[in-house]
Each structure stands twice: as C-alpha cells, then as structure tokens.
Amino acid sequence: MADLFDSLPPPRVPLAELMRPARLEDVAGQRHLLGPGKPLRLAFESGKLHSMILWGPPGVGKTTLARLMAQAFDADFTAVSAVLSGVKEIREAVSQAQAAKARGRQTILFVDEVHRFNKAQQDAFLPYVEQGLLTFIGATTENPSFEVNSALLSRAAVYVLEPLGQDDMIGLFERARALACPTLVFDEQARERMVGFADGDARRLMNLVEQVQIAAETAGVNPVTPEFVDEALSTKLRRFDKGGEAFYDQISALHKSVRGSNPDAALYWLCRMLDGGADALYLGRRLVRMAVEDIGLADPRALELALNACTTYERLGSPEGELALAQATVFLACAAKSNAVYNAYNAARKFVSSDVSRPVPLHLRNAPTKLMKQLGYGKTYRYAHDEPEAYAAGESYLPDGMSAPEWYRPTPYGLEARIAAKLAHLRELDAAAKQDREDPPG
C-alpha cells in the first residue's frame, strides 16, 4: 500500500499559491500603503508588531501581507477562518501562542473574514490581544466600522487595501502566463478580457489563467482569442456581493448619478449592478424612489416612467426588460430635479410626530346626520368649485390656531416653476380676501 501511494504524483500546487509574493517588494499594488514612508511600509520597518485590520476586496493581498508580517518579525503564524472556525479554534490558537511565548517567540493570529465572527467569538480573543499574548491581524471585505467590535477596533490599526489597477493586473498576468503556460500565446484583447473578468482580484486572475490553460490544451487552441476566453469562462465573474458594502456603494453611486443629472454615469452603475447579478426589480424600485425623492413635481412623468419600467421588466424579464430600466434611468437623470415634496413630507412627519392631536375644524367635518348638522359640522364650508377660479380664497384648512407652516416650497425647475407661480397667485387671492374681511366695502 505504501508503494502505491509513493507512486502517486505529488498534489498540484495552485498557481495562486505559487505566485504568492515571498518579499514585500513583490506585492502588487497598494502603493498608498507600501510605498516609501507609507503606513504599512513603516509598520514593517518599525521593528514593533501591532494589531491591525486589513480591509479590502478579495484577492488584493490581505493574507499575503499577514504572512509577510510574520516573516519580517520572525513570529509564529496561526491562521483561522471565521467561516470554518469558532471559539474552540480560537482557544487552540491561544494555547499555541502560550507555548510559543514559553519558547520566547511572538505569535500572529490571522483571522480571515473576521466580519463573520459574532460578538462572542470576537470577545474570545480580545483579552489575549490586550495582554500582548497575540498580535491580531484581521482580514475583512466588509466595513469594520459595522462588523468589528468597537473594543477590538480601538486596539487595531485599520489599513484600507484597494483593488489592483490595470497595470498591476497585466503585470501579474504576464508573470502567471510565463510560469504556468509559457508556450501559450494570448492576443492582446484576450489578455484584456481576462484582466477585466478578474476585476482587480489577483487570486481570481490566477485561477482564470489555469482555467483557460486547461481549456486551451484540451481543445488544442493556440493562440488564445477573446472568443475562446468567453467560451472557456462561460459564467459571470464580476465581483459583487449582493448583501455587502459593494452592493450599497454601487446603488448609492447610481442614485447620486441620477440626482446629479449624469445619464452616462447612471447607465454605467445600472449596468455594473445588472452585470454583477443584482435583482433587476430591486433596481426598478430604487428608480421609483429616485423619481419621488429627487424629481417629484418638477416632472411627474418620472414616477410614471419608473413604475412602467418595473411593470415592463416583470412582463419581459431579462434581457429585454432591462432596456426599460435603462430608459427610465436616462429619463430620471435628464429630468428637472426637485426634492421639495421630499423635504415637505419629512418636515410634516416630524411636526406631526411631536405635536398634539389637533381637532378637525367644524367647517371641515362631514355632516351625514341631523345631529351633526345641528352641532355645526360643515356649516360654513365653502365648496371650491362654486368659487371664482375654483378657489375659496381666504378659506382655512388647517386646525384652528395653527399657523401656515409652508412646508412645501416648490423649486423654479420644470413643472414646479408653474406650480410655484400658481401658489403665489392663490396666496395673493387669500391676502385680498383677508383684506376684504378686515375692511369690508361700504
């Protein structure tokens, strides 16, 4: 049996592991942290270990930097994954650190995806970080302000890592190709296609190179074309977390692009989210929100178009229905903007929530019974349609004793400019009616 196992080929080491930098100088990107005089470079050169959180998207070097930190300080490196580990694994890591300390060695505890640990799990290693038994390095793709305990956050420096840029990714691609498949030729568009699919994620790029290499060798293809890359990678590969910060960052960018009247930017973010797998109807609902929050009565057609786009998508689905969402997005971006109704509503809600329950004035109450009529319900009500200009000038519709709050203040944009002019005219009629009451003719 031993001879049988001895004859088996050694397990293949993934390209991403073979390409993992062994020196700080080999790390791709992150110049804002690793350049001369920059924070992480200084941390390596300081001679002092400190706890830190590495926050950034997948495949930008968080694990690599933690390993290089252990190497630079000659410290034991213990890694746990918050996806697979719990308090038991943390206790085992603490025991290992205690044994290392007895040997005069420091320990780095690297917690991958630390945001997935709950409060109790994070609290489990906090005392040992405070005691200095462990130097904690956490890696997270989510905003640590929301996902990491404040006690732990206050004891760790936060370093923000960025997606790798185009030049860095092309450099990594060429190194990976030379190492994994030096005889395989990629035309320039094929290379750009793969770099685009990798989306700033070095690990993903390595995996894509391996996938395309296997597919090309199997099919006997050389050189590799963009069309072959598309066939070999026939799945959506964009980085997109439907419930994470990237999701909310992108929907925020879409909303702000519409509000900022930039149709190209709005289309870009819409397509980014659709490409990443966002629920198209969720995007449709957000467009409806934009129509009422940022356009309102400046162009009431915006709400109608946004609702119609949702209905159209429900009937057609993808990809045909996505065009309706794109049309609504462009219309909303180009439409006149007003948040006057949004502001008025918020002001009214705030007032009502803190005000007393004011009774409805008698003249505005309905009087369906004889008793109600005897009590004066609706007695002095003026029917607007019977008045000049269909407007009962000087009439009050607010509770008695409540002054006009003027919550709704129309903007001078789009249809609201005409609304503003009409309301100004009606206020003039009110003022004239008030003057007549105070100084009747004759």
Side-chain angles (χ1 to χ4, degrees), residues 78-93 96 109-118 120-122 124-125:
T78 301
V80 298
S81 169
V83 176
L84 304 173
S85 306
V87 174
K88 176 176 177 288
E89 286 74 17
I90 295 172
R91 287 173 179 164
E92 291 175 356
Q96 294 173 13
L109 174 63
F110 176 67
V111 182
D112 195 18
E113 299 193 77
V114 65
H115 60 276
R116 295 185 184 273
F117 268 159
N118 59 34
Q121 291 168 320
Q122 292 182 31
F125 56 80

Side-chain angles (χ1 to χ4, degrees), residues 227-304:
E227 292 75 21
F228 183 79
V229 170
D230 288 344
E231 292 175 7
L233 308 175
S234 58
T235 182
K236 287 190 174 180
L237 296 168
R238 293 290 183 193
R239 179 179 64 248
F240 194 83
D241 181 354
K242 296 180 186 178
E245 187 174 8
F247 177 88
Y248 295 107
D249 284 346
Q250 290 181 28
I251 195 64
S252 174
L254 172 59
H255 196 148
K256 289 179 172 66
S257 298
V258 167
R259 181 183 295 147
S261 300
N262 191 317
D264 289 339
L267 275 178
Y268 170 79
W269 292 113
L270 176 75
C271 292
R272 271 286 299 275
M273 297 194 76
L274 289 172
D275 180 65
D279 179 4
L281 282 177
Y282 169 82
L283 296 176
R285 291 193 295 273
R286 288 301 298 249
L287 292 174
V288 172
R289 169 64 185 252
M290 296 172 208
V292 294
E293 178 180 338
D294 294 294
I295 297 170
L297 293 179
D299 194 337
R301 296 172 299 175
L303 176 58
E304 181 181 0

Side-chain angles (χ1 to χ4, degrees), residues 142-424:
E142 298 298 323
N143 191 328
S145 300
F146 305 132
E147 306 294 342
V148 178
N149 287 359
S150 57
L152 183 58
L153 195 60
S154 68
R155 291 161 176 80
V158 177
Y159 297 109
V160 182
L161 280 67
E162 298 175 349
L164 299 185
Q166 182 83 356
D167 291 342
D168 290 322
M169 292 293 283
I170 290 175
L172 285 172
F173 175 87
E174 291 300 338
R175 286 169 51 196
R177 185 196 61 77
L179 180 63
C181 45
T183 61
L184 195 58
V185 177
F186 290 78
D187 72 29
E188 185 174 349
Q189 288 184 327
R191 182 185 67 179
E192 292 178 355
R193 191 80 171 147
M194 293 182 65
V195 168
F197 275 136
D199 204 17
D201 183 331
R203 186 187 306 110
R204 176 178 288 175
L205 180 62
M206 302 301 106
N207 294 338
L208 296 182
V209 170
E210 287 186 308
Q211 291 177 43
V212 172
Q213 174 198 9
I214 293 170
E217 291 176 351
T218 302
V221 170
N222 196 1
V224 174
T225 64
E227 292 75 21
F228 183 79
V229 170
D230 288 344
E231 292 175 7
L233 308 175
S234 58
T235 182
K236 287 190 174 180
L237 296 168
R238 293 290 183 193
R239 179 179 64 248
F240 194 83
D241 181 354
K242 296 180 186 178
E245 187 174 8
F247 177 88
Y248 295 107
D249 284 346
Q250 290 181 28
I251 195 64
S252 174
L254 172 59
H255 196 148
K256 289 179 172 66
S257 298
V258 167
R259 181 183 295 147
S261 300
N262 191 317
D264 289 339
L267 275 178
Y268 170 79
W269 292 113
L270 176 75
C271 292
R272 271 286 299 275
M273 297 194 76
L274 289 172
D275 180 65
D279 179 4
L281 282 177
Y282 169 82
L283 296 176
R285 291 193 295 273
R286 288 301 298 249
L287 292 174
V288 172
R289 169 64 185 252
M290 296 172 208
V292 294
E293 178 180 338
D294 294 294
I295 297 170
L297 293 179
D299 194 337
R301 296 172 299 175
L303 176 58
E304 181 181 0
L305 197 63
L307 289 169
N308 286 342
C310 293
T311 301
T312 302
Y313 183 85
E314 287 178 330
R315 294 200 177 186
L316 298 183
S318 292
E320 293 87 351
E322 293 171 3
L323 183 58
L325 297 177
Q327 178 174 302
T329 299
V330 171
F331 185 92
L332 266 58
C334 296
K337 302 297 187 296
S338 170
N339 66 346
V341 173
Y342 178 68
N343 289 337
Y345 170 75
N346 287 335
R349 282 291 301 266
K350 182 178 180 180
F351 177 85
V352 168
S353 67
S354 59
D355 190 38
V356 297
S357 296
R358 299 172 186 257
V360 176
L362 284 178
H363 72 282
L364 296 181
R365 299 185 190 186
N366 196 22
T369 69
K370 183 177 180 180
L371 174 61
M372 290 177 172
K373 291 178 180 177
Q374 291 174 348
L375 293 173
Y377 282 29
K379 183 177 181 181
T380 60
Y381 172 67
R382 296 161 59 195
Y383 189 57
H385 294 288
D386 291 340
E387 301 278 340
E389 299 188 41
Y391 181 69
E395 181 65 283
S396 174
Y397 298 96
L398 289 168
D400 294 335
M402 180 176 170
S403 58
E406 295 186 2
W407 290 315
Y408 177 55
R409 298 181 179 182
T411 69
Y413 309 119
L415 179 62
E416 261 192 340
R418 295 169 59 189
I419 294 174
K422 177 179 179 179
L423 291 179

